[in-house]
Amino acid sequence: MAGSVSGVKPDLELWPIGNCQVSGLIDERAGLVWGCVPRVDGDPVFCSLLNGRSQDVGVWRFELEGQVSATQRYERNSPILITRLEAEDGSAVEIFDFCPRFERNGRMYRPVAFTRIVRPVSGAPRMRVVLRPMRDYGTSVAETTNGTNHIRYLVGSQVMRLSTDSPVGYILEQRPFRVESDQHFFLGPDEPFSGNVRGEVRRMHSNTRKYWQLWVRGLATPLEWQDEVIRAAITLKLCQHEETGAIVASLTTSIPEAPNTERNWDYRYCWIRDSYYTIQALNRLGALDVMEKYLGYLRNIVDSAKGGQIQPLYSVMGVAELNEATAPYLAGYRDMGPVRIGNAAYKQVQHDCYGQIVLPTAQGFFDKRLIRMADEGDFESLEQVGEMAWKMHDQPDAGLWEFRTREEVHTYSAVMSWAACDRLANVASYLGKSDRAELWQERADMIRSTIEKHAWKGDGDNGHYGATFETDYLDASLLQMVELHYIDSDDTRFQATFEAIEKALRRGPHMLRYAKEDDFGLPETAFNICTFWLIEALHLAHRDEEARELFCTMLNHRTKSGLLSEDMDFETGELWGNFPQTYSLVGIINCAELLSKSWDTVR
C-alpha cells in the first residue's frame, strides 16, 4: 500500500497495467501510485509510491466509506485489473483498471491514457475520488481547470484531461458520493472526448481484453506453470515501448536493492543486456512481435554508433546521454532516498553488449516467420558490431554488474565476445560468404584460447573459471557459459565451476550475484535472476527434483500479481529493487520451459 500516513508503508504488492506506451502500478487499495507520462521514462505524475509526505498526492485512488477489505485479480490472460472493495455494511464496488490497446483505423491505438471503471456490485456504496497528479517529479500538485464533464490537469509541459460521467464537482472537492451506477473515467490527452464516455470506455475495455487474449493465444507455453508464464510474458510485453521497440529493464526508479543502502537506480531505460534476455525468453514462447520491434531499435542503435563503441543502455527513444540526477521533492520508497533520474551507467564500458546485439539479430537471418528478415546489408552492419567485440574481448570493463569504481577483464564479457564472433561465422556461412565465415570462426577460436588461458583458475581440470581474468573470485554469470553454448554442461570444467559457485554464492534457496565487496559494501540481498540461473544449473546437473523444489519456492515469493522485483532478502524473503524486473520474469519463463513435463504426457 502506498504512502506513509497513519503508519501505512509502501510495499511491492503492486499490479501493473499498461499498453506499451504508458504504464501504471496499482496498489492494494486501488490507488494508481506510479505512472509516468508521456512514456515510461517521463515525469511520474503519479508518484506516491516514492512520496513520503502524503498518500493523498501523486495518486489516483477510489476510497470506499467504511472499507474493510480489498481483493484483486486480473481479467484472464490480460493486464486488465479488477479490484473489489467491500465496506462494513456489505456494500461493494469493482474497479476495472487498464490502458487502452487495440487496433483501430488500421493501426494500434495505445494512447497516453489511464482508464478506470467503477461498478457498484452490492448495497449502496459511498465513494470518494482522490485524483491529485503531480508535476516535475513531485515538485507540486498539478493545477486544474474544469468544464461540465471534464477536468484538465497541468502536469509539467503538457496537459491531461479527465473525461467522465461521474460528478466533476465531487471529484474536485474530494467529496464522498453514493455510487448508484457505473462510473467511467478516461484520463488522457487534452482533447475533447469523442463519443459518449460510457459507451466508448466500455468498448475500449472490450477491445483491449480481446487484444490481449488473442496475443496470449499465440504463445507456446509449457504444460506446467501456464498461468505463471502467461503473467510473466504479458508483463514483459508491457515493458516494451512499442513506438521505438525499446525494452526497459523495469517500470520504476529508485526502489532500493536493500534497505537504506542508496543502491537506488533508475531502470526505466533500455539495457542491451536485459533486453537480450527478454527477447530470448519471449522467443521461446513464440512472441515474435516483441523481437521484431526490438530488432528495429537495435538497427537504429548500431547505425548511430557508426562502428564505434556501443553503450550498455539508452533511453527508449535511443538518446545516449542519460545524465544522473536526484529528485529533491520525493522522499523515496519508505523514505529511503535518493530518487534518481537518469543513470550514469550509460558512461560505462561494458563489452558484453556487443554479443547481446549480435545474438538476437542473428536470428533474423534464419527465422522465416519474420515479416522483415535480415539481409546482406544487415550483415555488413552487424560485422561492425563484431569488430568491436573482437577488438575489446580482452580489455577491462565495468562488467555486467556495472561496478562504478573499478574495471577488470570480465569473463562473462569475453564469452559474450566469443559468442558474437561465433554467431557471425554461422550467419556468414548461411549467406554463402565462406571467407567471412572463416574469419569470424578464427576470431572466435582465438577468443576461446584467451579465455581458457586467463579465466581458468587452476592446474589442468582442477580449478574453476573466475569472474575476471585478473582474479579467482566467482560470480553467478559464469553459469551462463552453457546457455551461450561456450561449454557443455557435462564438461568437467563447468561442473567444477558450478560446484565452486554454489559453495561460495548460494544462501539456502537463494543466489547472490557475487560475494565480494563492491562500491557500496557487501551485497545484502540475493539477485533473483541469479537464483533462476542456479535452478537452470541444477537441472543441467541432473538434480531435477531439487531444481523443481527451488523453482516452486521462488514462485511462492511472487507478489499477489504474480510478479517479482530485482532482489530478495535471502533471510526474510522480502522483495526489494525495481518492480517488475524483466530479468526476474525471464527467469520464470526459462525455468518453466526447462522443468515442465512435456505436452505429450497428456495426449
Side-chain angles (χ1 to χ4, degrees):
M1 298 183 184
S4 58
V5 173
S6 303
V8 177
K9 293 182 178 180
D11 61 29
L12 295 183
E13 285 296 346
L14 302 168
W15 299 70
I17 60 172
N19 61 5
C20 303
Q21 173 66 39
V22 291
S23 56
L25 298 177
I26 311 293
D27 74 2
E28 290 191 286
R29 293 182 294 153
L32 177 54
V33 297
W34 185 257
C36 304
V37 297
R39 53 181 180 262
V40 65
D41 60 356
D43 188 6
V45 297
F46 298 109
C47 55
S48 67
L49 180 66
L50 301 184
N51 188 354
R53 292 176 295 171
S54 173
Q55 63 183 18
D56 287 333
V57 293
V59 70
W60 184 3
R61 190 183 303 286
F62 299 109
E63 297 181 349
L64 193 64
E65 283 192 347
Q67 181 181 320
V68 293
S69 68
T71 55
Q72 292 173 295
R73 62 182 175 88
Y74 281 117
E75 285 198 349
R76 180 174 177 268
N77 293 353
S78 83
I80 300 172
L81 176 64
I82 304 175
T83 303
R84 181 184 177 95
L85 304 180
E86 296 187 1
E88 56 191 357
D89 65 0
S91 61
V93 298
E94 286 187 340
I95 302 162
F96 293 74
D97 281 303
F98 64 98
C99 297
R101 179 179 172 83
F102 51 88
E103 189 171 323
R104 188 173 78 173
N105 299 327
R107 61 183 181 180
M108 191 61 64
Y109 177 67
R110 41 175 170 76
V112 180
F114 302 95
T115 308
R116 314 190 78 174
I117 302 172
V118 179
R119 186 166 293 165
V121 293
S122 179
R126 288 180 59 81
M127 179 184 74
R128 182 169 77 111
V129 181
V130 178
L131 176 49
R132 302 187 71 190
M134 304 193 80
R135 55 183 297 179
D136 302 327
Y137 282 84
T139 300
S140 61
V141 176
E143 297 177 0
T144 65
T145 61
N146 65 278
T148 305
N149 297 303
H150 73 268
I151 306 172
R152 300 168 75 246
Y153 296 88
L154 179 59
V155 287
S157 61
Q158 61 183 17
V159 177
M160 297 193 74
R161 177 190 292 239
L162 175 71
S163 299
T164 182
D165 54 10
S166 194
V168 168
Y170 288 154
I171 298 171
L172 287 169
E173 297 180 16
Q174 299 184 43
R175 187 177 301 278
F177 63 96
R178 182 165 171 159
V179 183
E180 296 184 333
S181 62
D182 290 4
Q183 311 287 299
H184 303 82
F185 303 82
F186 181 88
L187 180 64
D190 182 30
E191 55 192 37
F193 192 86
S194 177
N196 175 271
V197 173
R198 175 189 179 94
E200 286 302 314
V201 168
R202 287 190 171 192
R203 272 189 286 274
M204 289 179 186
H205 176 206
S206 176
N207 289 337
T208 299
R209 179 177 59 232
K210 181 180 180 180
Y211 167 83
W212 284 105
Q213 291 181 347
L214 286 174
W215 185 80
V216 168
R217 191 175 70 172
L219 298 179
T221 59
L223 172 61
E224 296 182 271
W225 304 295
Q226 290 185 60
D227 289 337
E228 294 85 347
V229 167
I230 288 170
R231 182 54 49 199
I234 288 174
T235 308
L236 286 179
K237 184 170 174 63
L238 291 182
C239 289
Q240 181 168 58
H241 185 68
E242 191 170 64
E243 181 181 1
T244 62
I247 301 169
V248 297
S250 182
L251 300 179
T252 60
T253 177
S254 303
I255 309 295
E257 294 180 9
N260 299 304
T261 59
E262 296 196 10
R263 295 177 186 262
N264 301 8
W265 312 116
D266 192 348
Y267 278 7
R268 300 171 300 158
Y269 305 111
C270 183
W271 267 260
I272 303 300
R273 178 187 313 112
D274 299 53
S275 299
Y276 157 71
Y277 281 106
T278 298
I279 290 302
Q280 179 194 56
L282 289 177
N283 279 350
R284 287 170 172 159
L285 299 177
L288 290 184
D289 58 328
V290 178
M291 184 182 77
E292 284 184 312
K293 289 285 186 180
Y294 178 64
L295 291 182
Y297 179 81
L298 278 186
R299 286 192 289 270
N300 279 308
I301 294 298
V302 172
D303 287 349
S304 298
K306 301 183 185 304
Q309 179 179 318
I310 291 175
Q311 295 177 186
L313 70 153
Y314 296 83
S315 83
V316 296
M317 301 303 294
V319 175
E321 292 188 10
L322 302 172
N323 294 318
E324 191 172 297
T326 59
Y329 294 98
L330 292 176
Y333 181 75
R334 298 185 185 174
D335 295 316
M336 297 178 188
V339 172
R340 302 189 198 272
I341 309 166
N343 198 306
Y346 84 89
K347 298 178 181 178
Q348 291 186 356
V349 174
Q350 297 177 28
H351 299 318
D352 56 318
C353 66
Y354 302 113
Q356 287 143 359
I357 288 176
V358 171
L359 268 61
T361 305
Q363 181 174 339
F365 294 90
F366 299 94
D367 196 332
K368 297 185 182 298
R369 295 172 297 172
L370 296 173
I371 295 174
R372 182 198 182 281
M373 292 190 66
D375 56 25
E376 293 197 8
D378 294 315
F379 178 69
E380 291 176 6
S381 295
L382 204 58
E383 282 196 299
Q384 296 180 37
V385 180
E387 290 290 346
M388 289 298 294
W390 164 245
K391 180 180 178 181
M392 297 298 178
H393 75 272
D394 59 354
Q395 298 301 303
D397 70 355
L400 80 163
W401 308 125
E402 300 184 345
F403 297 118
R404 293 198 166 200
T405 59
R406 68 173 186 266
E407 290 188 349
E408 296 176 279
V409 182
H410 286 86
T411 302
Y412 176 84
S413 297
V415 172
M416 268 295 178
S417 294
W418 168 85
C421 296
D422 177 75
R423 304 317 191 264
L424 280 168
N426 293 342
V427 173
S429 179
Y430 178 76
L431 295 175
K433 298 178 179 293
S434 57
D435 57 333
R436 305 306 294 172
E438 183 178 349
L439 170 70
W440 288 113
Q441 189 57 59
E442 287 177 355
R443 288 179 171 180
D445 292 344
M446 285 187 278
I447 294 175
R448 177 182 287 277
S449 296
T450 300
I451 293 170
E452 293 303 314
K453 179 179 179 181
H454 296 288
W456 181 256
K457 313 299 178 180
D459 297 323
D461 288 336
N462 296 318
H464 60 78
Y465 289 104
T468 72
F469 284 11
E470 296 88 346
T471 67
D472 62 355
Y473 82 89
L474 296 153
D475 80 36
S477 69
L478 295 168
L479 298 177
Q480 288 291 285
M481 298 173 83
V482 173
E483 176 66 34
L484 293 170
H485 303 295
Y486 178 84
I487 196 170
D488 291 331
S489 60
D490 58 0
D491 190 297
T492 56
R493 290 196 168 196
F494 176 75
Q495 293 173 356
T497 301
F498 175 37
E499 182 180 354
I501 288 174
E502 191 173 14
K503 182 178 180 180
L505 303 182
R506 186 169 178 176
R507 301 292 184 271
H510 305 289
M511 178 73 87
L512 303 180
R513 47 186 165 174
Y514 48 82
K516 185 179 180 180
E517 282 197 14
D518 59 19
D519 313 327
F520 295 85
L522 287 171
E524 299 179 29
T525 51
F527 206 67
N528 288 328
I529 185 59
C530 296
T531 302
F532 287 115
W533 289 348
L534 167 63
I535 294 167
E536 294 173 7
L538 290 171
H539 167 74
L540 294 172
H542 309 293
R543 294 159 61 181
D544 276 357
E545 184 175 347
E546 186 178 355
R548 288 177 66 92
E549 181 180 354
L550 184 50
F551 183 48
C552 290
T553 297
M554 285 298 292
L555 293 179
N556 288 335
H557 283 298
R558 293 174 304 145
T559 61
K560 294 174 185 176
S561 59
L563 305 173
L564 288 167
S565 63
E566 181 184 44
D567 307 274
M568 188 182 302
D569 187 312
F570 50 80
E571 294 183 352
T572 68
E574 184 175 10
L575 293 176
W576 290 90
N578 283 306
F579 178 89
Q581 181 74 11
T582 53
Y583 260 158
S584 302
L585 304 183
V586 163
I588 292 174
I589 293 172
N590 288 347
C591 288
E593 288 277 352
L594 275 178
L595 300 175
S596 173
K597 297 175 183 176
S598 168
W599 279 97
D600 290 337
T601 61
V602 296
R603 292 173 180 167

